[in-house]
Amino acid sequence: MTKRSGVTLIEVLVSAGILALVMTAVISFYVEAVAVSAKRDENSARLRRFHLGLEKMDQVLREARIVDVRFRSILFLKLSDGSELAGFPLYDPAPGQLASTEKGVILIQDGKETVFLPTQPGEHVIFDWLQENPPNESKEAALTISLYHTGFDKRSDLFFHRSVNVQLY
């Protein structure tokens, strides 16, 4: 009689079980990597949107004099077409306002509203003076603009903030 080599049913079941464990681990790592990548892409898009909005706000505030800063708004006087009279800047008589609302940061000026920074649910933009130590006595100051994110019954997290140098009225 010749001896035949073969595989028993138990060997097949053990190898199938080991293969199933390895594949489960690989698939779980892949699913987690996809979730992390999606979260990173979402945060990158939020950061790009915030940077673009900040650039617009920075441009407007660079040509303005700040009158009042509140938690959700900035009241300012804007230069009138960049014109001057005898070396003194001419400001528009109607003040402009940057306001943080549910739909985002909007510029309210001359009866028109322009969205500068659209926000998503759970995002909040706030304004505050940057505290200097020692305090600066000149007409220049630093304003901080912050983007907070809340939602999903979690605590508020500071997502991003930026300082903007401004002129006081």
Side-chain angles (χ1 to χ4, degrees), residues 68-82:
D68 188 30
V69 174
R70 301 287 169 110
F71 185 66
R72 295 278 189 174
S73 68
I74 301 172
L75 190 64
F76 61 91
L77 295 176
K78 188 175 180 200
L79 282 174
S80 175
D81 298 329

Side-chain angles (χ1 to χ4, degrees), residues 17 45 61 93 97 114 139 144:
L61 293 175
Q97 182 179 15
T114 307
K139 286 285 190 180
T144 183

Side-chain angles (χ1 to χ4, degrees), residues 1 4-5 23 30 39 43 49 60 68 112 115-116 144 147 157 162 168:
M1 264 200 186
R4 291 184 176 177
S5 62
M23 291 306 292
Y30 175 75
K39 183 72 171 169
N43 285 341
R49 189 170 29 86
V60 166
D68 188 30
K112 293 184 279 184
V115 178
F116 267 32
T144 183
L147 175 66
D157 286 325
R162 181 170 170 190
L168 301 175

Side-chain angles (χ1 to χ4, degrees), residues 72-127:
R72 295 278 189 174
S73 68
I74 301 172
L75 190 64
F76 61 91
L77 295 176
K78 188 175 180 200
L79 282 174
S80 175
D81 298 329
S83 57
E84 292 185 4
L85 177 65
F88 293 100
L90 291 176
Y91 292 99
D92 280 336
Q97 182 179 15
L98 286 171
S100 179
T101 66
E102 290 296 320
K103 58 184 174 180
V105 177
I106 58 173
L107 170 67
I108 304 168
Q109 192 165 25
D110 299 327
K112 293 184 279 184
E113 291 185 6
T114 307
V115 178
F116 267 32
L117 173 60
T119 56
Q120 309 230 336
E123 293 179 349
H124 308 281
V125 178
I126 61 169
F127 311 109

